[in-house]
Amino acid sequence: MVSLRDIENRIKSTKKTSQITKAMQMVSASKLTRAEMNAKAFVPYMEKIQEVVGAIASATSDASHPMLTHRPVKKTGYIIVSSDRGLVGGYNSNLFRKARRAIEQRHASKEEVKIVAIGRKGLEFFSRLGYDVCESLVGVSDHPSFEEIKSIANRAVGMFTEGEYDEVYLYYNHFISAISNEVTEKKLLPLTDISSASAMASYEFEPSAEAILETLLPQYAESLIYGAVLDGKASEHASSMTAMKTATDNATELIDSLTLSFNRARQAAITQEITEIVGGVAALE
């Protein structure tokens, strides 16, 4: 039978755990507010640069660029945006499950796959599975600037234009609300979702549409990666907040259950002592 001291020690330790998870929940909630603002503030820029690139690409029929050109697929790159830390619920596991399933369906061999991992958990997961993690970035801040991810985004895009892989997919968690996010797959390269803008077709470009695209297309692709990182950070903080709230609620329920057990055990001990005293008195009479 568990002693009163053991139950009391469990109650104390669970209360300490509850205090920690409650504090982590509040910290994540604070980070989420700013991360959500960052992700939403980036959307207008993304929409505008997509509009401009689409207008230039559609303004002339002979505009071309390697990032717009489809070619036979021999190798595929996968950019995986995960977290550096755990305690984020199903944030990473859901992402890895979908990415791994897609990779296994598309490829017969791991030799056909190159991984660009943004986040320590993604780096560790795909390295452990034996995939070629050709580029990685860990230690991304809670509110990343473009400068933080510019280098790896540039290398990821550069490896496509240099022919190291022939298409690129981007996997990240899209933020929907504080209690909901969705694992998203986006085909990053070659660019296929550039909207057209026929109204700008009569414009003349200097020095040429190709020269402008040469600058804008890499910037556009890198911006898509940065937008996914911002989106992923908002989802990460939301998942962390939800996970810590669940942990706090579970700790509270456990404390209530242990307190009830403690009170029952103490009452039983008191009853036993009274019974023994009464029995002893009766034996003396």
Side-chain angles (χ1 to χ4, degrees):
M1 181 178 179
V2 181
S3 66
L4 288 173
R5 179 171 295 179
D6 290 338
I7 297 177
E8 191 172 17
N9 288 337
R10 286 194 64 190
I11 291 174
K12 290 180 180 178
S13 65
T14 306
K15 283 183 177 179
K16 290 179 181 179
T17 301
S18 177
Q19 292 172 352
I20 294 171
T21 55
K22 181 65 175 178
M24 294 176 69
Q25 177 190 342
M26 296 174 65
V27 169
S28 294
S30 175
K31 291 179 179 179
L32 170 61
T33 301
R34 184 177 170 188
E36 182 179 359
M37 291 175 58
N38 291 341
K40 290 182 176 179
F42 192 69
V43 172
Y45 170 79
M46 282 303 309
E47 292 176 346
K48 178 55 67 175
I49 192 173
Q50 180 174 351
E51 176 186 328
V52 171
V53 170
I56 297 173
S58 61
T60 176
S61 59
D62 59 353
S64 62
H65 190 277
M67 293 173 63
L68 298 173
T69 305
H70 291 264
R71 56 184 186 241
V73 177
K74 298 178 181 178
K75 284 193 175 184
T76 302
Y78 290 86
I79 303 174
I80 310 295
V81 182
S82 64
S83 71
D84 286 318
R85 300 181 294 270
L87 302 178
V88 288
Y91 174 87
N92 289 313
S93 58
N94 294 336
L95 174 70
F96 297 157
R97 187 182 304 112
K98 181 169 183 175
R100 183 181 182 183
R101 184 184 301 121
I103 291 172
E104 291 176 346
Q105 289 176 349
R106 291 193 186 109
H107 307 284
S109 169
K110 293 179 180 178
E111 300 297 322
E112 301 174 0
V113 177
K114 285 184 175 290
I115 302 293
V116 177
I118 301 178
R120 187 182 304 278
K121 293 298 182 180
L123 170 61
E124 293 174 349
F125 179 81
F126 286 98
S127 295
R128 187 168 60 250
L129 292 179
Y131 286 98
D132 178 14
V133 181
C134 56
E135 295 288 345
S136 64
L137 175 65
V138 299
V140 179
S141 65
D142 292 319
H143 308 292
S145 65
F146 181 71
E147 291 302 319
E148 285 186 64
I149 64 95
K150 181 178 180 179
S151 178
I152 192 169
N154 182 267
R155 292 197 300 273
V157 173
M159 284 189 290
F160 173 82
T161 57
E162 292 166 5
E164 291 193 33
Y165 39 61
D166 306 298
E167 62 180 359
V168 185
Y169 287 89
L170 177 63
Y171 283 83
Y172 64 99
N173 279 284
H174 170 57
F175 177 80
I176 298 175
S177 69
I179 59 173
S180 177
N181 57 72
E182 180 182 19
V183 179
T184 301
E185 175 194 85
K186 179 179 293 185
K187 188 170 184 178
L188 183 65
L189 295 169
L191 295 168
T192 57
D193 61 346
I194 299 176
S195 60
S196 61
S198 58
M200 295 184 64
S202 60
Y203 279 62
E204 294 182 2
F205 302 98
E206 291 293 341
S208 66
E210 288 84 353
I212 297 174
L213 287 176
E214 189 72 29
T215 300
L216 277 186
L217 284 177
Q219 183 178 344
Y220 173 57
E222 291 167 11
S223 297
L224 287 176
I225 298 173
Y226 179 54
V229 172
L230 292 180
D231 214 354
K233 279 295 178 182
S235 299
E236 178 186 341
H237 296 318
S239 297
S240 177
M241 183 184 70
T242 302
M244 292 303 99
K245 183 180 185 304
T246 300
T248 303
D249 293 343
N250 291 340
T252 301
E253 291 179 8
L254 180 57
I255 290 170
D256 292 341
S257 176
L258 289 172
T259 301
L260 181 60
S261 299
F262 177 81
N263 291 336
R264 285 175 175 172
R266 184 174 61 178
Q267 185 63 46
I270 293 172
T271 302
Q272 180 65 27
E273 290 176 2
I274 293 174
T275 301
E276 291 175 354
I277 292 172
V278 172
V281 171
L284 296 174
E285 294 179 352

